Amino acid sequence: MIPILFIITIIAFLFVHLTPGDPIRIMYGAEIDQETYEQMREREGFNDPLVVQYGRYMYNMAIQGDFGQSYRTRSDVSEEVLRRFGYTFILTILSMFWAILIGVTVGIISATKRNSILDRLGMISTITALSIPEFWFGLMMMQIFAVQFGWFPTSGSGTWLHLILPSLTLGFGVAATIVRFTRSSVLEVLREDYVRTARAKGQKESVVIWSHVLRNALIPVVTMAGLQFGFLIGGAVVVEQVFAWPGLGSYLIDGILTRDYPVIQALILLFSFQFLLINLLVDISYGFLNPQIRYE
Amino acid sequence: MDKQKKNSPFRIFLRKFLKQRLAVFAFGLVIMILLVGIFGPLFAPYDPHRPVTAQYADKGIDVDQLTSSTVQLEGRLSNGEVVDQSELPQLQTETENRRIASIRRTQSGVQISANTSGATEAVIESGDVSSVAEILVEGEVPLDDVEPIVSQIIIAQPEEAFSIGDEYQINFEALKTDGSEITTIEELRAYTEEKYGADEEEDTSGFQSGSSENEDSASFQLRSLTEDVVTVNEQGVVQFEEEGEGIVQIQSGDVSSVVQFQVGNEQVEPILTGIYLESTTVELTDAYKHQTPSSMHIFGTDHQNRDILSRVIHGTKETLLIGFVSVAIGTVIGTVLGLLAGYYGGWLDSLVTRMTDVLLAFPGILLAIAVIAFLGAGLTNIIFAVAVFTIPVFIRIVRASTLSLKEMTYVEAAKSIGVPNTVIIFRHIFPGTLSVVMVYLTMRIGVAILIGAALSFLGLGGDITAPEWGSMLSAAKDNSSNIFHATFFPGLAIVITVLSFNIFGDGLRDALDPKLKE
Amino acid sequence: MTMTKNILDIKDLTINFKSDGKEISVVDGISFHIKAGETLGVVGESGCGKSVTSLSIMGLIPSPPGRVAGGTIEFEGKNLLDFKEKDMRKVRGNDISMIFQEPMTSLNPVFTIGKQINEVLLLHNDMNQTEARNRSIEMLKLVGIPRPEQIYSNYPYQLSGGMRQRVMIAIGLACQPKLLIADEPTTALDVTIQAQILNLMQDLKEKTDTSIMFITHDLGVVAEMCDRVVVMYSGQVVEETDVDTLFNDPKHPYTLGLLGSIPKATEKIERLYSIRGQVPQAGTVEKGCRFADRCDKVMDRCREEDPPLFQMKQGHQCRCWLYAED
Amino acid sequence: MLSRKGIWLLIVLSFMFILAACQSNDETPNDESNNGVTEEEVNETENDNTNAGNTNDNEEVNNETDASSESGGEVTVGIEAEPTSMDPHNTTDGNSATVQSTMFEGLLRFDEDMNIVNVLAEDYDYSDDATEVTFTLREGVTFHDGTEFDANVVKENLDFVRDSENGLARSSFFSFIDEVEVEDDFTVTIRSEEPNSAMASYMAHSSAAMKSVDEIEKKQEDEDYNLDREGAVGTGPFQFVEWRDSEHVIVEKFDDYWNEEELARVDQITFRPVQEASTRVNMLQTGEVDLIFPIPTLNAAELEEEEEIDLFTGPTTDVFYIGMNFENDKYEDLDVRQAMNHAVNKDGLIAQVLDGYGTIADSAIAPNVYGYSGQPIYEYDVEGAQELMDGSEQSDGFEATLWTRNSTEFISVAEYVAIQLEEIGIDVEVQAYESGTLFDMLDAGEDTDMWIGRWSPGTGEADYGLRPNFASDRVPPNFNNSGFYINEELDEMFDEALATPDEDEAMEIYAEIQQKIYEDAPWVFLHIPDAIIAKNRDLVGIYVLPSGAVNLNLAEFQ
């Protein structure tokens, strides 16, 4: 875990120094003459050996949390990241909520009613959902629910209503993966003996499913959902661009289009760190759900 | 004996696969898509790069795509002569609503060009005389019927000269666009009040802009322009006061004509009395863009009026290219690394696994975006980015199966008889992993196409004007936000392609699954 | 016969399973009964339909593949097959309960022992939590589990196989059922634990006067536990008799074969006798006696005609042409 | 499974990261950031808006409500992009200028008819050889920070911006000033090297705004003081409150504004940058914002129908063109250039890309610009264009790359033009870049080929409309002649026109210049887009300038 993190900081750092385009030239344009150009390179410390610069970069970032200044808006990247982090966070949380809600229910229904029309329908819609590009799905949701019906604002941020369409779009792809996983997990648990014992006790089928089966089936689903959470961030980048949601995703895309390297550097680091953190949280939550692991 | 041969692993695999009707159907679709990708451009109805209007001619489709036309007009002098439009003094042209149609003078005459569907009026003026043409621009939505308007006024020009104290009753015809006429002054006055009266409401928009623009359009006028020579009363009766040249003007809103009198025996110079249009109604079509799906354009046209079906067909090749090439690269590199890491183990294994962990530390599309940020946008970079994103997946599955195959006795047997490692790897172990690799290959193609489309949607792709599905959607998002068909069909193409690959991949995987009964 | 009433009476029960479109009858017209307070042994190799029969009594046959095609299961005079699901649920765990072969996986890993016992108590009697808790602890004591209060709040994975089987028995007997179906309860346990469980069941039987349907393929257990025995083969009852006659005067060649394969402490023989061939796959034998291929005393008639159950002496039946009186 | 030790280590690490991130935002921002030394090239989106203050002479009929009526309230404005700076001397983009026009004033300004009107100067007059202009200043004007406005402030401001050491974007704009002399407390004279009749219109430009001297001194003392984000202290009716990146800029009413009749009628204006055009439209429809511009032409028609929304469309002074780099010899031949002009169907371009919101550009400057004279349009004639091409040196066509900005409008224009040029054998590849990056590439002037340009003279007069684009001394990196178009004859005429004090004579020279430029076709002349502005029905008092600039100083709710 730690070495991976370390390697990523090196990659993020090298990013600025290996990509084409001189940072000073990008920040200040062609106008400044050679002499002030040299002076600025000195002041920014671009002439020091790479290792020293890396040391300063790590010091600034890890200790002071200072990700440097955006070339474009000359504002502190860390400030911008903090403000936008909330937007992406809510979006991913809400879409994960949709994903689990839809994913688990459909998964259970199609598992319990195996080979019925519902099950086949569930499977077809899942595999279709997995083949729909998120951005197109977003555009379609926007066309239908915002433009045609006008129930929701088409894009932008503001009230909770703005959050519904983007989160549903983002959540839908992940929901499809959760459906498949829940279905296979539930099917496996249904074959277990203790389910037969529960039934032998005269327990109602619904209680057998929603308490006995679900409780056991959910453990692997939670782990998988945790992993999916990481991929949600990737998806968020696209969905934020479609719905003009001012989160970290659209900030990264703008950064790339304007070659704003401090922004790209910070976000790549942050996204991968977030991804690793989530995997860790999933491992921890695994223990919480499954008593057997807890006492080990 | 043949019973024995029948049970070769591949034949079992094939039988299991053929049992899944859906997967076979998907396989058919995949083949069909590949064919479209390769031969499609030959059958595409239109050239995807050029607007359809330019191609109707050489396709033999004579749709009256009249988006602009020149207006034939001539001036009439008081002595009855006709004057060509080029000699009309300071000819001025203007349309009432520039967004529906615009008018301007060109070397070849007065040209009206349509902008968006609707109805408006064009005023053509030269000095005191002017006349009006009605412009109808047909779009997808049919125009509600526009009531006829007075287009030009023809006043009878008296030949004989007059003397002081005479009287003369003016008679005229006000021609309407539907051919009907108004001949009495009261009727023309009532028509003008009703038509132009309403337009006068005060501009309360609260925007203050330059005062130069909107001078007032006078309503009905019946007046003498040479008060001292002639006077005219409400009923149009002219009194001659003095000798000289007398001019009386009749104006109904934007349309106005004059009549000239010679009072006394001094010859008067002929003057322009009116402008007459050959046709008073100009019908144009707004066939500029976003034509809705029709028999001519099954998927309709996009914001540059290019045929979407042809663009989708041409886009297939590029999308499949991204899908296949990137996954192919990813597979080859991933498989080789997986084999080596799995077989040799030791530092190579830990290095490769560490690398895979790092690559997998980035959530899917972000890894591709990071590569694009590093290399810059472009089709080849997209292919490479998606390949990088595919490598770790194959390393993992191949390494896993190599580890298990390595323990097999037949591998030990080969080792024991001195077969070199490389041969063991590629002749003995690799075929074992082939089946798993094949299955994942098909499934990753779907994912690769999705990521490729997402990248070009985000503007990180190649040429933004290219008929590639991702950039078509990106353009549609910006230019045709409320046009359904422009966004729907390219997306549908992606879904169908990816769906068929996924179902086909699932079919393969299930066929390989030992649990599944034959 | 009539002085002790039959608690359970099954008449030519047929259960079919659909696989690959064809319907095969796994249980083909079996009939037997269990008297109140009696322990009936049901013996037969695996695949002979004994577990399916027990599940059909409980109404737990999974409906899409399996189906009860005919016959009746009378419990206290009422045909269970006519019960609606709601009524059947009242019977399960209350009047008829069941314990299974594999204790390790029969308990829900994520619920405590106490919760799993309370569940059946709360389902069938209106008690509150504390009453249920006390009753559960009492049951744990009854089945001989040490430190019941502590075990009450433990998780299944903290208990050994034997302990878990005891918990299963506690669950089974919690509501004093009239009939306990035990589907090879001791097969998965090692011998010493097996003996403890069997003794436990013996005492409980005396105390609670519950009749038991004991399914096993181990004739030693039959001898020790059962009053009467039914021998099943390939979905049919081939012999039914009291346990003493079974060991002393078995009639059906298959039963003889089974008995022959038990090593006797007293005799010394090199090679144990084993019945040749295997149990035919369900539905493959259309006509004739299903044991014909493996029977030493096979006659032509056996392959032609399906032998009925012949009435031997009192309470002893056998499905074999050898005993046809004609 | 993670070993216990591993888990603890990572939890500590994550806390540290979160702590570090929070800690960063309470330290004073940009401790060592390099402040506004952005010699950002004056780019041709320079349609910055002259800060048209109030019309104190021709009282409009509907705002007879005197200044005292407390209508109050807060106005929210949706703008196209994030402003880049609050310092008028360092601003080249329209959005920043719009925000600044509420806080800053210059000596003069343009009204809606582009006539020059006095603001901080009460009067001005030229010396007879038009090399000097003397301003008598208004008294009793205070800055937002309480400091007084006087002649010295004018000199400090102009000297500070002119000094290229400070690296301000507008230093080259004032390069015509030789010296600024303070006659007395309220009279100041600006002397230029050679005669320049356009000095007054230069001083009416939005970048000629007056900043409080304290701010200038703060900058001179502390190298890193960020004028872009901090120094917004002017004399306008509103004062600076707060700028939070990509969220909003807030200005509030300045109570002791020198011009009582024109006190701000609303308490506060909030500018919110919304890049996504359809979002801006939605926010107006849901009432989140009261005014938005610009608006995509696609939504304009639909907005017009809604009753509680007023839509304003009027011609701007922006001219869209295709520029070409004369250092590539393929553009040497005049036939090629004229062929390209004939190949593009301008009517079609307006109808298709702009949905009719535009007019054809029949000269290098727009009709609203002082000194404009229209030329006969290059009519759309594909056969004629093809003949010209066949007769030219590039008879078998050539390949070209067309750079454009990555906004929707620019890409569609580029796409449209590329398709039409292909009809006459010119194979065009469109490349879209973010505007900042594009200007850097144009200024570098290395591999420029063709590009879509937009230019609007902020001073509203012909000199600033033509010279930066066609004078041979304005080739990259020094201004906007990115096509290296060298025409000595024109250079002389530019200076000559500027030097003649007599208006009609100057007009004739400009007419001749435009005719020469048009015939020599260094550009493919495209169109002049309409400014489209939409606002809530009950917001009034919005002034729109011919250059498309929007002034909100007199905005109020009905």
mmCIF file of all heavy atoms in Angstrom, chain A residues 193-194 196-197 199-204 212 215-216 291 295, chain C residues 89 92-93 100 105-106 108-110 116 119 124 157 168:
data_model
loop_
_atom_site.group_PDB
_atom_site.id
_atom_site.type_symbol
_atom_site.label_atom_id
_atom_site.label_comp_id
_atom_site.label_asym_id
_atom_site.label_seq_id
_atom_site.Cartn_x
_atom_site.Cartn_y
_atom_site.Cartn_z
ATOM 1 N N ASP A 193 -27.045 -24.490 3.367
ATOM 2 C CA ASP A 193 -27.919 -25.325 4.210
ATOM 3 C C ASP A 193 -28.731 -24.487 5.189
ATOM 4 O O ASP A 193 -29.892 -24.756 5.452
ATOM 5 C CB ASP A 193 -27.053 -26.324 5.004
ATOM 6 C CG ASP A 193 -26.412 -27.314 4.038
ATOM 7 O OD1 ASP A 193 -26.912 -27.355 2.883
ATOM 8 O OD2 ASP A 193 -25.457 -27.995 4.408
ATOM 9 N N TYR A 194 -28.068 -23.417 5.718
ATOM 10 C CA TYR A 194 -28.798 -22.685 6.781
ATOM 11 C C TYR A 194 -30.051 -22.010 6.250
ATOM 12 O O TYR A 194 -30.973 -21.678 6.996
ATOM 13 C CB TYR A 194 -27.879 -21.678 7.487
ATOM 14 C CG TYR A 194 -27.171 -20.674 6.599
ATOM 15 C CD1 TYR A 194 -27.827 -19.530 6.142
ATOM 16 C CD2 TYR A 194 -25.848 -20.876 6.204
ATOM 17 C CE1 TYR A 194 -27.171 -18.626 5.340
ATOM 18 C CE2 TYR A 194 -25.196 -19.962 5.394
ATOM 19 C CZ TYR A 194 -25.856 -18.843 4.958
ATOM 20 O OH TYR A 194 -25.204 -17.950 4.163
ATOM 21 N N ARG A 196 -32.018 -23.544 4.244
ATOM 22 C CA ARG A 196 -33.014 -24.641 4.345
ATOM 23 C C ARG A 196 -33.458 -24.777 5.810
ATOM 24 O O ARG A 196 -34.636 -24.946 6.118
ATOM 25 C CB ARG A 196 -32.355 -25.937 3.857
ATOM 26 C CG ARG A 196 -33.312 -27.045 3.498
ATOM 27 C CD ARG A 196 -32.533 -28.253 3.065
ATOM 28 N NE ARG A 196 -31.405 -28.467 4.016
ATOM 29 C CZ ARG A 196 -30.369 -29.281 3.764
ATOM 30 N NH1 ARG A 196 -30.315 -29.940 2.616
ATOM 31 N NH2 ARG A 196 -29.400 -29.436 4.628
ATOM 32 N N THR A 197 -32.456 -24.600 6.711
ATOM 33 C CA THR A 197 -32.841 -24.689 8.141
ATOM 34 C C THR A 197 -33.868 -23.619 8.467
ATOM 35 O O THR A 197 -34.892 -23.878 9.109
ATOM 36 C CB THR A 197 -31.566 -24.412 8.989
ATOM 37 O OG1 THR A 197 -30.456 -25.013 8.362
ATOM 38 C CG2 THR A 197 -31.757 -24.894 10.400
ATOM 39 N N ARG A 199 -35.965 -22.201 6.597
ATOM 40 C CA ARG A 199 -37.301 -22.549 6.055
ATOM 41 C C ARG A 199 -37.918 -23.655 6.903
ATOM 42 O O ARG A 199 -39.098 -23.617 7.242
ATOM 43 C CB ARG A 199 -37.148 -23.035 4.605
ATOM 44 C CG ARG A 199 -36.810 -21.914 3.626
ATOM 45 C CD ARG A 199 -37.172 -22.314 2.188
ATOM 46 N NE ARG A 199 -36.754 -21.254 1.259
ATOM 47 C CZ ARG A 199 -35.752 -21.403 0.371
ATOM 48 N NH1 ARG A 199 -35.077 -22.542 0.313
ATOM 49 N NH2 ARG A 199 -35.415 -20.418 -0.450
ATOM 50 N N ALA A 200 -37.033 -24.601 7.328
ATOM 51 C CA ALA A 200 -37.557 -25.729 8.128
ATOM 52 C C ALA A 200 -38.140 -25.222 9.433
ATOM 53 O O ALA A 200 -39.005 -25.840 10.042
ATOM 54 C CB ALA A 200 -36.427 -26.708 8.400
ATOM 55 N N LYS A 201 -37.684 -24.066 9.859
ATOM 56 C CA LYS A 201 -38.246 -23.503 11.116
ATOM 57 C C LYS A 201 -39.640 -22.946 10.859
ATOM 58 O O LYS A 201 -40.290 -22.480 11.802
ATOM 59 C CB LYS A 201 -37.346 -22.361 11.607
ATOM 60 C CG LYS A 201 -35.999 -22.768 12.165
ATOM 61 C CD LYS A 201 -35.284 -21.486 12.631
ATOM 62 C CE LYS A 201 -33.798 -21.783 12.894
ATOM 63 N NZ LYS A 201 -33.077 -20.498 13.043
ATOM 64 N N GLY A 202 -40.070 -22.908 9.617
ATOM 65 C CA GLY A 202 -41.401 -22.354 9.336
ATOM 66 C C GLY A 202 -41.340 -20.865 9.119
ATOM 67 O O GLY A 202 -42.341 -20.149 9.210
ATOM 68 N N GLN A 203 -40.130 -20.348 8.760
ATOM 69 C CA GLN A 203 -39.976 -18.895 8.592
ATOM 70 C C GLN A 203 -40.611 -18.494 7.253
ATOM 71 O O GLN A 203 -40.600 -19.249 6.280
ATOM 72 C CB GLN A 203 -38.472 -18.563 8.568
ATOM 73 C CG GLN A 203 -38.153 -17.060 8.592
ATOM 74 C CD GLN A 203 -38.813 -16.337 9.754
ATOM 75 O OE1 GLN A 203 -39.986 -15.973 9.640
ATOM 76 N NE2 GLN A 203 -38.109 -16.175 10.883
ATOM 77 N N LYS A 204 -41.160 -17.264 7.209
ATOM 78 C CA LYS A 204 -41.759 -16.783 5.951
ATOM 79 C C LYS A 204 -40.642 -16.622 4.907
ATOM 80 O O LYS A 204 -39.509 -16.215 5.236
ATOM 81 C CB LYS A 204 -42.405 -15.401 6.165
ATOM 82 C CG LYS A 204 -43.764 -15.429 6.855
ATOM 83 C CD LYS A 204 -44.575 -14.172 6.537
ATOM 84 C CE LYS A 204 -43.940 -12.923 7.150
ATOM 85 N NZ LYS A 204 -43.920 -12.968 8.643
ATOM 86 N N HIS A 212 -32.068 -13.535 6.471
ATOM 87 C CA HIS A 212 -31.041 -14.595 6.441
ATOM 88 C C HIS A 212 -30.145 -14.470 5.210
ATOM 89 O O HIS A 212 -28.939 -14.326 5.304
ATOM 90 C CB HIS A 212 -31.721 -15.970 6.427
ATOM 91 C CG HIS A 212 -32.259 -16.352 7.785
ATOM 92 N ND1 HIS A 212 -31.521 -17.013 8.724
ATOM 93 C CD2 HIS A 212 -33.462 -16.098 8.353
ATOM 94 C CE1 HIS A 212 -32.239 -17.190 9.823
ATOM 95 N NE2 HIS A 212 -33.430 -16.654 9.628
ATOM 96 N N ARG A 215 -28.306 -10.784 4.516
ATOM 97 C CA ARG A 215 -27.221 -10.441 5.449
ATOM 98 C C ARG A 215 -25.930 -11.132 4.995
ATOM 99 O O ARG A 215 -24.852 -10.519 4.973
ATOM 100 C CB ARG A 215 -27.643 -10.901 6.849
ATOM 101 C CG ARG A 215 -26.721 -10.502 7.972
ATOM 102 C CD ARG A 215 -26.628 -8.999 8.198
ATOM 103 N NE ARG A 215 -25.401 -8.709 8.965
ATOM 104 C CZ ARG A 215 -25.336 -8.860 10.304
ATOM 105 N NH1 ARG A 215 -26.402 -9.242 10.992
ATOM 106 N NH2 ARG A 215 -24.205 -8.643 10.917
ATOM 107 N N ASN A 216 -26.031 -12.380 4.591
ATOM 108 C CA ASN A 216 -24.828 -13.096 4.145
ATOM 109 C C ASN A 216 -24.411 -12.673 2.740
ATOM 110 O O ASN A 216 -23.238 -12.499 2.454
ATOM 111 C CB ASN A 216 -25.120 -14.613 4.128
ATOM 112 C CG ASN A 216 -25.128 -15.148 5.550
ATOM 113 O OD1 ASN A 216 -24.079 -15.296 6.160
ATOM 114 N ND2 ASN A 216 -26.323 -15.358 6.071
ATOM 115 N N PRO A 291 -18.626 -11.342 11.027
ATOM 116 C CA PRO A 291 -18.132 -11.564 12.399
ATOM 117 C C PRO A 291 -16.911 -12.469 12.437
ATOM 118 O O PRO A 291 -15.996 -12.269 13.219
ATOM 119 C CB PRO A 291 -19.327 -12.193 13.104
ATOM 120 C CG PRO A 291 -20.278 -12.619 12.037
ATOM 121 C CD PRO A 291 -20.006 -11.765 10.843
ATOM 122 N N TYR A 295 -12.836 -11.279 14.968
ATOM 123 C CA TYR A 295 -12.075 -11.680 16.172
ATOM 124 C C TYR A 295 -10.709 -12.224 15.828
ATOM 125 O O TYR A 295 -9.923 -12.597 16.670
ATOM 126 C CB TYR A 295 -12.862 -12.755 16.950
ATOM 127 C CG TYR A 295 -13.992 -12.116 17.748
ATOM 128 C CD1 TYR A 295 -15.263 -12.007 17.203
ATOM 129 C CD2 TYR A 295 -13.752 -11.525 18.999
ATOM 130 C CE1 TYR A 295 -16.274 -11.364 17.882
ATOM 131 C CE2 TYR A 295 -14.773 -10.888 19.688
ATOM 132 C CZ TYR A 295 -16.026 -10.811 19.128
ATOM 133 O OH TYR A 295 -17.014 -10.181 19.813
ATOM 134 N N ARG C 89 -46.571 -23.535 7.058
ATOM 135 C CA ARG C 89 -45.525 -22.876 7.870
ATOM 136 C C ARG C 89 -45.808 -23.093 9.350
ATOM 137 O O ARG C 89 -44.899 -23.276 10.153
ATOM 138 C CB ARG C 89 -45.505 -21.361 7.557
ATOM 139 C CG ARG C 89 -44.647 -20.980 6.356
ATOM 140 C CD ARG C 89 -44.072 -19.564 6.561
ATOM 141 N NE ARG C 89 -45.165 -18.582 6.757
ATOM 142 C CZ ARG C 89 -45.778 -17.975 5.733
ATOM 143 N NH1 ARG C 89 -45.453 -18.273 4.483
ATOM 144 N NH2 ARG C 89 -46.751 -17.099 5.961
ATOM 145 N N ARG C 92 -44.379 -26.500 10.162
ATOM 146 C CA ARG C 92 -42.914 -26.658 10.164
ATOM 147 C C ARG C 92 -42.302 -26.090 11.455
ATOM 148 O O ARG C 92 -42.646 -24.997 11.876
ATOM 149 C CB ARG C 92 -42.319 -25.855 8.992
ATOM 150 C CG ARG C 92 -42.506 -26.520 7.646
ATOM 151 C CD ARG C 92 -41.628 -25.812 6.582
ATOM 152 N NE ARG C 92 -42.269 -25.925 5.258
ATOM 153 C CZ ARG C 92 -42.683 -24.873 4.537
ATOM 154 N NH1 ARG C 92 -42.525 -23.663 5.006
ATOM 155 N NH2 ARG C 92 -43.271 -25.046 3.367
ATOM 156 N N GLY C 93 -41.399 -26.857 12.027
ATOM 157 C CA GLY C 93 -40.673 -26.382 13.224
ATOM 158 C C GLY C 93 -41.532 -26.454 14.474
ATOM 159 O O GLY C 93 -41.045 -26.373 15.598
ATOM 160 N N PHE C 100 -30.486 -31.732 10.029
ATOM 161 C CA PHE C 100 -29.819 -32.121 8.785
ATOM 162 C C PHE C 100 -28.457 -32.754 9.033
ATOM 163 O O PHE C 100 -27.939 -32.775 10.138
ATOM 164 C CB PHE C 100 -29.665 -30.871 7.887
ATOM 165 C CG PHE C 100 -30.999 -30.240 7.590
ATOM 166 C CD1 PHE C 100 -31.454 -29.173 8.361
ATOM 167 C CD2 PHE C 100 -31.810 -30.743 6.585
ATOM 168 C CE1 PHE C 100 -32.698 -28.611 8.112
ATOM 169 C CE2 PHE C 100 -33.055 -30.184 6.341
ATOM 170 C CZ PHE C 100 -33.502 -29.127 7.095
ATOM 171 N N THR C 105 -22.694 -26.361 8.313
ATOM 172 C CA THR C 105 -23.251 -25.252 7.482
ATOM 173 C C THR C 105 -24.744 -25.065 7.746
ATOM 174 O O THR C 105 -25.406 -24.302 7.046
ATOM 175 C CB THR C 105 -23.129 -25.611 5.984
ATOM 176 O OG1 THR C 105 -23.834 -26.870 5.815
ATOM 177 C CG2 THR C 105 -21.683 -25.747 5.560
ATOM 178 N N SER C 106 -25.277 -25.757 8.772
ATOM 179 C CA SER C 106 -26.735 -25.663 8.951
ATOM 180 C C SER C 106 -27.127 -24.456 9.782
ATOM 181 O O SER C 106 -28.307 -24.116 9.879
ATOM 182 C CB SER C 106 -27.260 -26.928 9.636
ATOM 183 O OG SER C 106 -27.090 -28.007 8.712
ATOM 184 N N ASN C 108 -26.788 -20.320 10.604
ATOM 185 C CA ASN C 108 -26.478 -19.076 9.889
ATOM 186 C C ASN C 108 -25.259 -18.415 10.524
ATOM 187 O O ASN C 108 -25.309 -18.023 11.687
ATOM 188 C CB ASN C 108 -27.703 -18.138 9.970
ATOM 189 C CG ASN C 108 -27.526 -16.946 9.010
ATOM 190 O OD1 ASN C 108 -26.392 -16.508 8.789
ATOM 191 N ND2 ASN C 108 -28.610 -16.465 8.452
ATOM 192 N N PRO C 109 -24.147 -18.281 9.763
ATOM 193 C CA PRO C 109 -22.883 -17.794 10.347
ATOM 194 C C PRO C 109 -22.966 -16.393 10.949
ATOM 195 O O PRO C 109 -22.166 -16.052 11.811
ATOM 196 C CB PRO C 109 -21.896 -17.826 9.168
ATOM 197 C CG PRO C 109 -22.733 -17.856 7.940
ATOM 198 C CD PRO C 109 -24.047 -18.490 8.306
ATOM 199 N N VAL C 110 -23.925 -15.582 10.480
ATOM 200 C CA VAL C 110 -23.875 -14.184 10.945
ATOM 201 C C VAL C 110 -24.846 -13.924 12.098
ATOM 202 O O VAL C 110 -24.946 -12.807 12.584
ATOM 203 C CB VAL C 110 -24.181 -13.192 9.783
ATOM 204 C CG1 VAL C 110 -23.023 -13.134 8.832
ATOM 205 C CG2 VAL C 110 -25.481 -13.538 9.087
ATOM 206 N N GLN C 116 -30.879 -17.740 16.782
ATOM 207 C CA GLN C 116 -31.430 -18.755 15.852
ATOM 208 C C GLN C 116 -32.405 -19.688 16.543
ATOM 209 O O GLN C 116 -33.319 -20.215 15.905
ATOM 210 C CB GLN C 116 -30.253 -19.515 15.218
ATOM 211 C CG GLN C 116 -29.317 -18.548 14.478
ATOM 212 C CD GLN C 116 -28.352 -19.265 13.514
ATOM 213 O OE1 GLN C 116 -28.765 -20.187 12.807
ATOM 214 N NE2 GLN C 116 -27.106 -18.844 13.510
ATOM 215 N N GLU C 119 -35.683 -17.668 17.214
ATOM 216 C CA GLU C 119 -36.487 -17.451 16.002
ATOM 217 C C GLU C 119 -37.643 -18.470 15.931
ATOM 218 O O GLU C 119 -38.797 -18.097 15.765
ATOM 219 C CB GLU C 119 -35.580 -17.592 14.772
ATOM 220 C CG GLU C 119 -36.288 -17.258 13.466
ATOM 221 C CD GLU C 119 -35.312 -17.297 12.264
ATOM 222 O OE1 GLU C 119 -34.244 -17.951 12.403
ATOM 223 O OE2 GLU C 119 -35.621 -16.692 11.228
ATOM 224 N N HIS C 124 -43.572 -19.635 16.650
ATOM 225 C CA HIS C 124 -44.720 -20.526 16.885
ATOM 226 C C HIS C 124 -45.420 -20.297 18.213
ATOM 227 O O HIS C 124 -46.466 -20.863 18.480
ATOM 228 C CB HIS C 124 -44.253 -21.979 16.780
ATOM 229 C CG HIS C 124 -43.752 -22.313 15.385
ATOM 230 N ND1 HIS C 124 -44.583 -22.253 14.286
ATOM 231 C CD2 HIS C 124 -42.514 -22.610 14.901
ATOM 232 C CE1 HIS C 124 -43.875 -22.543 13.181
ATOM 233 N NE2 HIS C 124 -42.620 -22.759 13.527
ATOM 234 N N TYR C 157 -19.469 -20.181 14.344
ATOM 235 C CA TYR C 157 -18.101 -20.649 13.989
ATOM 236 C C TYR C 157 -17.299 -20.921 15.252
ATOM 237 O O TYR C 157 -16.249 -21.530 15.227
ATOM 238 C CB TYR C 157 -17.388 -19.592 13.123
ATOM 239 C CG TYR C 157 -16.991 -18.335 13.866
ATOM 240 C CD1 TYR C 157 -15.768 -18.236 14.526
ATOM 241 C CD2 TYR C 157 -17.884 -17.267 13.956
ATOM 242 C CE1 TYR C 157 -15.435 -17.108 15.239
ATOM 243 C CE2 TYR C 157 -17.544 -16.150 14.674
ATOM 244 C CZ TYR C 157 -16.326 -16.068 15.318
ATOM 245 O OH TYR C 157 -16.001 -14.958 16.027
ATOM 246 N N MET C 168 -28.715 -27.741 16.752
ATOM 247 C CA MET C 168 -29.765 -28.047 15.749
ATOM 248 C C MET C 168 -30.897 -28.836 16.409
ATOM 249 O O MET C 168 -32.075 -28.537 16.204
ATOM 250 C CB MET C 168 -29.154 -28.903 14.613
ATOM 251 C CG MET C 168 -28.287 -28.108 13.646
ATOM 252 S SD MET C 168 -29.201 -26.729 12.878
ATOM 253 C CE MET C 168 -30.339 -27.686 11.863
#
